[in-house]
């Protein structure tokens, strides 16, 4: 039951404290490791497409496996010293693996800037949580970017970590975060990372395949709980869940678009390059800044559902196996 208790306590800590800026975060350390490993591997292996793919494969194995082994050993050692110490370590890392309140706070900051009609400030705020170019975004573009990020990161920052947490505790959840961090840093289809980042991107697709679909179902249920259009969320998810180059990213975005009755996605610029992405959802009405708050309510409701179901299933399975 240690994992169930640690996940529950870690979830509460995330809702209470989010990610304090003064506290070292494992994702930051993972990012530094990725940068350093990339430098070393690019020097050691040939600068050919085959060599870059090989280097990327080495990185895609070393970081997740290293994360799993190191954190697993620390949790095991802490538990052997004292069960409460083991629980404390698991709880701390479960907390750090989740990003419910932090995501809500960052997106709400975008809303505050839009509510005061500070478009430049809103662009700066949304640039903190999206990968696209934000300098020329309109109010509508900023709002869409914030809503899309809340929906997409509901899977990456909430459901997927909880999913792996329920299977292997904090070590497996942090292993997933290592995979996700690699994809966010090197999983781009540009000249620098097309070959080197291929393994990381494929691994991230595989790791998120089931969690992203579970996240869409939780989002649809959350839409019903928060007074949004759950039947339309289901319809748009069924229709548009593949409207993205990634097999996973449109899963929650489509459910969110349907729940709100707005159109998301569409063309965008990334690092100065234009991407003609398909739209998701129907524009039953224009998107508005308050949709960020509506998306946040669904975020919290869906996160609570995911936690309760995950802990309940794990506890039930453990009780059955005894």
């Amino acid at each position: 039951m240690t994992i169930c208790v640690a996940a529950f306590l870690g979830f509460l800590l995330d809702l209470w404290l989010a990610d304090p800026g003064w506290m070292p975060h494992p994702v930051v350390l993972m990012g530094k490791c990725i940068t350093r490993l990339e430098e070393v591997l690019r020097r050691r292996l040939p600068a050919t497409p085959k060599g870059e793919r090989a280097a990327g494969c080495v990185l895609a194995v070393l970081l997740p496996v290293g994360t799993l082994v190191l954190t697993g050993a620390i949790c095991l050692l802490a538990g052997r010293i004292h069960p409460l110490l083991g629980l404390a370590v698991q709880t701390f890392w479960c907390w750090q693996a989740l990003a419910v309140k932090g995501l809500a706070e960052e997106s709400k900051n975008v809303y505050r800037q839009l509510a005061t009609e500070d478009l430049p400030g809103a662009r700066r705020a949304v640039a903190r949580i999206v990968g696209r170019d934000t300098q020329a975004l309109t109010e509508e573009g900023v709002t869409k970017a914030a809503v899309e990020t809340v929906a997409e990161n509901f899977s990456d920052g909430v459901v997927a970590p909880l999913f792996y947490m329920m299977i292997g505790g904090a070590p497996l959840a942090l292993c997933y975060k290592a995979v996700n961090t690699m994809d966010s840093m090197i999983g781009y289809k540009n000249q620098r990372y097309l070959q080197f980042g291929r393994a990381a991107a494929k691994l991230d697709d595989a790791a998120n395949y089931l969690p992203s679909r579970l996240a869409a179902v939780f989002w649809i249920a959350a839409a019903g709980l928060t007074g949004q259009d759950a039947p339309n969320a289901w319809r748009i998810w069924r229709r548009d869940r593949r409207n993205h180059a990634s097999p996973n990213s449109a899963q929650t975005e489509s459910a969110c678009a349907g729940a709100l009755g707005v159109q998301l996605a569409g063309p965008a610029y990334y690092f100065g390059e234009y991407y003609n992405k398909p739209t998701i959802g129907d524009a039953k009405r224009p998107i508005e800044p308050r949709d960020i708050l509506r998306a946040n309510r669904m975020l919290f409701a869906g996160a609570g559902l995911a936690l309760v179901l995950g802990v309940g299933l794990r506890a039930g399975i453990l009780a059955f196996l005894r």
Side-chain angles (χ1 to χ4, degrees), residues 251-271:
Q251 299 292 328
T252 45
E253 282 188 39
S254 57
C256 182
L260 295 173
V262 300
Q263 191 173 79
L264 299 177
Y269 283 89
Y270 293 83
F271 305 106

Side-chain angles (χ1 to χ4, degrees), residues 119-138:
L119 183 56
R123 288 169 177 162
R124 290 191 296 271
V126 82
R128 291 169 52 88
I129 54 174
V130 301
R132 74 192 64 182
D133 298 344
T134 62
Q135 302 93 327
L137 289 180
T138 61

Side-chain angles (χ1 to χ4, degrees), residues 125 129 140 265 294:
I129 54 174
E140 177 186 4
R294 297 180 183 109

Side-chain angles (χ1 to χ4, degrees), residues 150-189:
V150 172
E152 184 176 351
N153 283 281
F154 173 63
S155 177
D156 295 350
V158 183
V159 175
L162 280 172
F163 176 83
Y164 289 106
M165 209 178 286
M166 291 300 105
I167 297 172
L172 194 58
L174 290 176
C175 177
Y176 164 77
K177 296 299 288 186
V179 172
N180 194 239
T181 304
M182 282 193 304
D183 180 64
S184 67
M185 290 183 65
I186 65 173
Y188 296 102
K189 293 183 178 179

